[in-house]
Amino acid sequence: MKKKSLLFMLILLLSLATFLAACSSNETQAPNESEGDDQEATEEAPAGDQVLIFARGGDSVSLDYASITDGESSRVTKQIYETLLEFDADSFEVGPGLATEWSVENDGLLYTFKLREGVKFHDGTDFNAEAVKLNFERWADKSHEYNFADEGYTYSVYGTQFGGFKGDEGHVIEEINVLGDHEIEFVLNKPLGSFIQNMGMSYFAITSPAAFEEHGSTINENPVGTGPFKFVSWTRDDSIVLEKNEDYWMEGYPKLDRVIFRVIPDNSARLTALRAGEVDIMDGLNPDDVVTIEGDSELQVFERATNNIGYLGFHVEKEPFNNKLVRQAVNHAINKEDLIFALYGGMAQPAKNAVPPGYLGYNDEIQEYEFNLDRAKELLAEAGYPDGFEFDLWTMPVARPYMPDPQRAAEAIQAELAKINVKANIVTHEWATYLEKTEAGEQDMFMLGWSGVNGDPDYFLSNLLSSHAIPGGNRTFYANEEVTALLDQAKTTYDEDVRADLYMKAQALIHEDAPMVPLVHSVPTLAGGANVKNYVPHPSTSEALTSVELSN
């Protein structure tokens, strides 16, 4: 059996010269398929029934990719929509997508993209520069007719990645100009170090303008893109069905006729369904089951690169977690090594920062909070809680790449905190409700995580810990303006050394304030049937299934 594993290739931002040298391609190879890749899969004839069933622990929250942050949504929207640029199959190396070429001028203030011709949206309308302009302006402008702010739509990732929204002082996009049907330029008012990487993020894919006109604010249930698969149906908490886009611009692709994303909440039940041949790929494989799967010739294991953070977050505006000493005490009370041994089968490493090791500006000089119950008790007494306290520990209802068994993890944390007289009452909600309520700030302490989607540290630090991401990804409600200023400064420079220094300073301040307990950076595992060919799990946790096929 062939075990697939990824080599996580961290991409430092490209210099202007590199951009200009790399920005030309009219290749017709499959998206995310590198030249020279092993073509062993083509030796077996494809199965007659090309329907792939992907089992996952939770349902999507929305199919409007820009207004949500959960991986279960982007896993589906990645099949329906496409971005101007695309990442390589196993890294964040950027290449052509809906744009075939791009250039950078004026010291990083002018970006010009040549768009792919002959591309149709699923509704038969043309993909063009006007469509790109409309989508970006929709996210940026709260008064835009397709922003749907009155219906509760928010675009927090756009705000953090592009420095805010239209009219905000930090918003870097000055204007967007259509130069022709298939040429568009973005004019910035200040440099943005991650601009090109942002163009590959699934949040910034392109929706059909005609679909906005037809569906309005129900676009989240009626997605229309240019991708390899078209939306068919969505049965909440059960399944999402997609079908092959027969008019896909890439000749000969996709290979699958249908993709069904099926919800099976329990990890073991998903594995049982895989073994019974009821599903073809399952996410959220228990680490304890990896060795068993590797020994089964009918199955295979897939590994994603380590590119995430699983964490325990405090609502820093609520007592007693508005006291830094309490937060530091909890950090000292969690035995991460035991957690990794018991729940991750060794397929994780302890975390001390909110960004994974290897990223630009990762601060390895920080001394993590050692597991020390006596020190934890001392800090609680100093904070005015010598006898401990009681609180609600919010726990995810579904397995995530950074936390394969949230319930067991919560119980382990509950037991650890009991040793310092802190009583944790475990609370959970349905997945979409959990995300909605934690974004609204209803929690005391909560378990969650984050996976990188563009290879840049800003995506982790700004979305999780900048005050700009409240409400949004910053569910701790941590608002240290010095940290936010450092992150803003790092965002708007090309100099990698300067950016790295700024991120290191920000992480030092965050560590001292302790708005979260960074728990682990995990190696997420999936399993599939041996007949699944050309499936390459991307570090971002969402990969297009364009090249995947099923063999006999």
Side-chain angles (χ1 to χ4, degrees):
M1 181 187 64
K2 183 176 178 181
K3 178 179 177 181
K4 300 184 180 181
S5 62
L6 299 177
L7 176 61
F8 179 65
M9 300 172 63
L10 175 65
I11 300 303
L12 301 179
L13 293 175
L14 305 177
S15 64
L16 297 182
T18 304
F19 283 141
L20 295 171
C23 302
S24 62
S25 175
N26 288 299
E27 299 174 57
T28 58
Q29 65 183 38
N32 299 325
E33 184 176 86
S34 303
E35 289 184 340
D37 282 353
D38 183 8
Q39 298 299 311
E40 178 183 357
T42 62
E43 295 175 4
E44 295 186 55
D49 186 11
Q50 290 290 308
V51 178
L52 183 136
I53 301 177
F54 194 117
R56 56 203 185 131
D59 200 3
S60 300
V61 174
S62 166
L63 298 183
D64 177 48
Y65 46 83
S67 63
I68 38 82
T69 61
D70 73 296
E72 292 302 349
S73 295
S74 62
R75 188 193 303 283
V76 177
T77 61
K78 184 68 178 174
Q79 318 310 322
I80 301 169
Y81 293 104
E82 295 177 299
T83 47
L84 294 188
L85 303 180
E86 291 286 345
F87 297 121
D88 280 358
D90 58 358
S91 77
F92 290 109
E93 184 76 52
V94 74
L98 287 175
T100 57
E101 301 178 30
W102 62 97
S103 63
V104 187
E105 301 173 70
N106 295 356
D107 297 324
L109 297 179
L110 179 63
Y111 292 79
T112 304
F113 296 88
K114 291 187 178 181
L115 306 180
R116 196 175 296 276
E117 299 185 25
V119 177
K120 297 280 189 181
F121 287 106
H122 298 159
D123 57 13
T125 59
D126 292 330
F127 163 75
N128 53 32
E130 288 289 355
V132 175
K133 178 181 172 70
L134 181 145
N135 275 267
F136 275 86
E137 290 184 342
R138 169 212 173 195
W139 305 321
D141 186 356
K142 295 179 182 179
S143 65
H144 194 283
E145 63 177 320
Y146 301 139
N147 184 272
F148 308 131
D150 291 341
E151 286 80 10
Y153 283 60
T154 60
Y155 308 97
S156 63
V157 175
Y158 179 93
T160 54
Q161 295 305 120
F162 293 104
F165 300 94
K166 183 179 180 180
D168 293 347
E169 182 179 352
H171 187 225
V172 301
I173 299 180
E174 184 71 25
E175 59 185 52
I176 303 173
N177 299 313
V178 172
L179 304 181
D181 283 348
H182 297 94
E183 189 170 11
I184 193 167
E185 70 175 14
F186 291 77
V187 180
L188 309 189
N189 54 42
K190 64 183 72 173
L192 182 66
S194 60
F195 187 84
I196 287 296
Q197 297 299 114
N198 288 354
M199 291 296 106
M201 294 173 65
S202 59
Y203 296 103
F204 309 127
I206 308 301
T207 294
S208 163
F212 286 125
E213 185 175 348
E214 178 180 357
H215 300 293
S217 62
T218 64
I219 193 69
N220 64 322
E221 297 178 342
N222 298 278
V224 181
T226 62
F229 297 96
K230 300 167 63 174
F231 175 74
V232 175
S233 65
W234 184 2
T235 304
R236 293 277 185 173
D237 298 316
D238 179 60
S239 62
I240 293 176
V241 179
L242 310 179
E243 67 181 7
K244 179 177 183 176
N245 177 9
E246 297 287 356
D247 297 319
Y248 190 48
W249 58 266
M250 184 171 298
E251 187 176 354
Y253 293 92
K255 299 296 186 181
L256 296 169
D257 296 314
R258 243 177 202 223
V259 177
I260 300 172
F261 290 93
R262 181 180 165 193
V263 177
I264 304 177
D266 181 70
N267 289 10
S268 297
R270 284 199 302 283
L271 180 55
T272 298
L274 177 66
R275 284 178 158 161
E278 297 172 2
V279 304
D280 301 293
I281 299 177
M282 62 159 287
D283 195 12
L285 179 65
N286 285 326
D288 292 344
D289 292 323
V290 170
V291 173
T292 301
I293 299 299
E294 289 177 337
D296 189 333
S297 62
E298 299 298 317
L299 301 174
Q300 57 182 317
V301 173
F302 305 103
E303 291 182 7
R304 294 193 192 278
T306 300
N307 180 41
N308 57 39
I309 174 70
Y311 67 89
L312 186 62
F314 307 101
H315 192 314
V316 300
E317 295 181 349
K318 289 188 175 182
E319 293 184 0
F321 303 117
N322 59 345
N323 189 320
K324 178 174 69 174
L325 298 179
V326 171
R327 302 194 300 265
Q328 291 177 343
V330 175
N331 267 270
H332 279 296
I334 305 300
N335 190 328
K336 299 175 189 177
E337 294 287 357
D338 281 0
L339 197 66
I340 290 170
F341 177 79
L343 300 179
Y344 292 85
M347 301 186 71
Q349 63 186 88
K352 61 181 179 180
N353 294 311
V355 64
Y359 267 77
L360 177 70
Y362 177 81
N363 194 338
D364 201 27
E365 297 175 3
I366 285 175
Q367 297 297 312
E368 67 178 309
Y369 292 99
E370 65 174 344
F371 174 59
N372 188 325
L373 296 179
D374 289 336
R375 179 57 180 154
K377 292 176 181 178
E378 290 173 3
L379 287 167
L380 284 181
E382 187 178 346
Y385 298 92
D387 299 321
F389 56 88
E390 184 174 347
F391 75 100
D392 287 341
L393 171 59
W394 286 44
T395 307
M396 295 177 294
V398 298
R400 305 303 304 134
Y402 42 78
M403 203 165 292
D405 195 333
Q407 181 65 30
R408 286 179 61 200
E411 291 168 357
I413 291 169
Q414 180 186 52
E416 294 283 4
L417 294 179
K419 297 175 183 176
I420 58 171
N421 298 317
V422 171
K423 182 179 180 181
N425 302 310
I426 297 176
V427 173
T428 192
H429 294 277
E430 185 271 335
W431 180 227
T433 304
Y434 186 90
L435 294 175
E436 179 182 345
K437 287 180 175 291
T438 52
E439 183 173 333
E442 296 184 23
Q443 70 280 10
D444 295 333
M445 188 192 296
F446 65 102
M447 297 170 63
L448 207 55
W450 199 253
S451 297
V453 300
N454 71 346
D456 192 88
D458 181 68
Y459 180 73
F460 280 91
L461 296 172
S462 288
N463 279 289
L464 293 178
L465 295 159
S466 167
S467 60
H468 298 318
I470 303 172
N474 185 346
R475 287 168 161 85
T476 63
F477 290 77
Y478 173 67
N480 182 321
E481 293 309 317
E482 185 178 359
V483 169
T484 297
L486 288 168
L487 297 178
D488 287 347
Q489 187 179 351
K491 186 193 301 284
T492 55
T493 180
Y494 269 118
D495 190 313
E496 292 178 1
D497 291 335
V498 173
R499 293 190 82 206
D501 183 61
L502 292 167
Y503 287 131
M504 290 182 71
K505 290 178 179 176
Q507 287 167 81
L509 292 171
I510 293 165
H511 179 75
E512 173 65 21
D513 288 340
M516 61 171 59
V517 181
L519 294 172
V520 299
H521 305 295
S522 72
V523 179
T525 53
L526 307 88
N531 64 328
V532 176
K533 305 300 178 183
N534 305 325
Y535 176 69
V536 181
H538 194 266
S540 68
T541 76
S542 297
E543 54 280 326
L545 302 174
T546 314
S547 302
V548 175
E549 59 185 321
L550 303 174
S551 66
N552 287 318

